[in-house]
């Protein structure tokens, strides 16, 4: 991180301290000053980038051509700390990498962006394809997320945001009710951090276990597409996991029992 990044992070930390100590003022921003590289400037990149910027992240878009008009427009609407660069340069600066490219481009992007060790990758892709009879199906045996992790073994891969519309990512109110963002990954700390981001964006999040469960999240994407592919737009939906913590009474987990 350069001197500007350090100064921004310091200012952000002071601002966060101010907000936390300002009585009843709600914390609406994570104000981290960390850098998020959003790789891909399409519908998902264009929805999530501005949301990260609003949370206090420095956003750098990684684009095949950062001089494109659509990228300039996106940078402008993301805010004053946003910028665009090649995919490789964006990743170099980043603490968190959001992979928002078509599944078919994912391998080339991940293998071409340089060192990803120690970074969190948020994988929003779906390794799904159209079958010969016109339905969606999963395109790989395990999951796209596990393949991406194998191409970048030193990164902490968290799969999230893959089963919701980019319109809802941009504006949760368009869902017409609460939305759950299921999250899977093997690195607990990274997963927790991504859940905090999701919740700060106005969604619920649910930890659905290790990365090997990514195949089920990608299966949820197949189901999500059914009404859309059949042209039944009025039946399109967002996922929401309704919970009732009262149902089973106090927790009987081993941790609670050990503390008794
Ligand atoms: N659309 C949704 O609502 C939604 C929801 C959940 C998950 N997803 C998943 O999120 C990922 C991105 O979806 P999207 O809807 O944002 O796609 P999109 O609108 O087509 O945008 C993808 C972006 O990826 C970049 N890219 C890099 N390599 C590419 C290549 N070889 N071919 C085409 N584009 C390439 C492009 O940005 P540059 O021109 O700047 O390089 C492009 O704008 C997909 O894997 C999708 O399955 C989508």
């Amino acid at each position: 991180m350069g001197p500007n990044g350090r100064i921004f992070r310091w200012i952000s930390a002071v601002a966060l301290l101010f907000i936390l100590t300002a009585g009843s003022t709600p914390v609406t921003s994570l104000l981290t000053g960390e850098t998020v590289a959003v790789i891909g400037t399409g519908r998902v990149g264009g929805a999530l980038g501005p949301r990260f910027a609003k949370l206090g992240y420095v956003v750098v878009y990684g684009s095949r051509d950062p001089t494109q008009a659509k990228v300039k427009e996106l940078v402008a609407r993301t805010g004053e700390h946003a910028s665009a660069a090649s995919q490789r340069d964006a990743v170099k600066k980043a603490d968190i990498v959001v992979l928002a490219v078509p599944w078919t481009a994912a391998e080339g992007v991940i293998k071409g962006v340089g060192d990803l060790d120690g970074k969190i990758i948020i994988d929003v892709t779906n390794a799904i394809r159209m079958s010969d009879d016109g339905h969606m199906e999963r395109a790989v045996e395990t999951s796209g997320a596990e393949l991406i992790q194998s191409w970048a073994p030193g990164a902490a891969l968290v799969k999230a945001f893959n089963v919701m519309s980019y319109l809802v990512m941009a504006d949760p109110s368009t869902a017409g009710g609460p939305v759950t963002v299921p999250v899977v990954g093997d690195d607990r700390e990274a997963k927790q951090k991504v859940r905090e981001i999701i919740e700060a964006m106005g969604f619920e999040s649910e930890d659905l276990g290790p990365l090997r469960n990514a195949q089920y999240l990608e299966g949820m994407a197949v189901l999500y597409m059914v009404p859309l592919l059949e042209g039944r737009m009025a039946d399109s939906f967002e996922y929401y996991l309704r919970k009732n913590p009262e149902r089973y009474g106090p927790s009987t987990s081993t941790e609670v029992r050990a503390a008794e």
Side-chain angles (χ1 to χ4, degrees):
M1 176 182 294
N4 285 347
R6 272 197 294 276
I7 290 167
F8 183 65
R9 190 179 280 196
W10 182 81
I11 292 170
S12 297
V14 172
L16 178 61
L17 196 63
F18 175 78
I19 287 174
L20 287 174
T21 53
S24 59
T25 310
V27 179
T28 55
S29 165
L30 298 178
L31 285 171
T32 69
E34 284 184 317
T35 296
V36 176
V38 178
I39 309 301
T41 60
R43 288 166 293 188
V44 170
L48 287 180
R51 303 294 321 273
F52 275 100
K54 279 230 162 57
L55 293 181
Y57 287 92
V58 177
V59 172
V60 50
Y61 293 101
S63 174
R64 291 167 300 173
D65 176 6
T67 65
Q68 295 173 80
K70 70 155 186 179
V71 180
K72 287 185 177 157
E73 182 276 323
L74 178 56
V75 168
R77 95 179 144 80
T78 302
E80 57 178 323
H81 297 294
S83 60
S86 68
Q87 294 171 345
R88 200 181 176 85
D89 284 348
V91 164
K92 208 180 290 172
K93 295 175 184 163
D95 305 288
I96 299 174
V97 176
V98 178
L99 186 65
V101 300
W103 163 245
T104 46
E107 181 171 6
V109 170
I110 290 293
K111 290 183 175 173
V113 291
D115 189 8
L116 284 155
D117 285 4
K119 299 180 195 285
I120 294 175
I121 300 177
I122 302 180
D123 169 31
V124 311
T125 68
N126 281 308
I128 61 177
R129 66 180 171 212
M130 187 77 80
S131 65
D132 292 341
D133 58 356
H135 298 287
M136 294 307 279
E137 62 182 14
R138 291 175 49 237
V140 298
E141 198 133 295
T142 53
S143 65
E146 286 161 282
L147 288 172
I148 292 168
Q149 179 73 85
S150 74
W151 301 327
L157 195 124
V158 180
K159 189 162 197 90
F161 296 111
N162 72 305
V163 282
M164 60 196 297
S165 164
Y166 73 101
L167 297 170
V168 173
M169 293 177 202
D171 179 0
S173 74
T174 61
V179 173
T180 307
V181 180
V183 173
V184 298
D186 289 338
D187 185 313
R188 279 176 182 278
E189 232 174 89
K191 198 160 50 172
Q192 183 54 31
K193 184 166 183 163
V194 173
R195 290 189 67 190
E196 282 164 19
I197 291 168
I198 289 166
E199 286 167 21
M201 286 182 179
F203 304 111
E204 296 192 10
S205 74
E206 190 57 39
D207 180 350
L208 291 181
L211 196 59
R212 67 170 183 267
N213 286 347
Q215 61 181 302
Y216 307 116
L217 262 60
E218 293 175 17
M220 285 167 75
V222 171
L223 300 179
Y224 182 93
M225 295 297 293
V226 171
L228 304 175
L229 283 179
E230 293 181 357
R232 295 185 284 116
M233 302 308 282
D235 293 334
S236 66
F237 58 83
E238 297 298 329
Y239 285 104
Y240 173 56
L241 302 183
R242 183 169 56 77
K243 291 187 270 185
N244 178 9
E246 307 302 315
R247 184 164 56 170
Y248 294 111
S251 172
T252 53
S253 75
T254 44
E255 283 152 46
V256 172
R257 269 185 267 126
E260 282 168 357

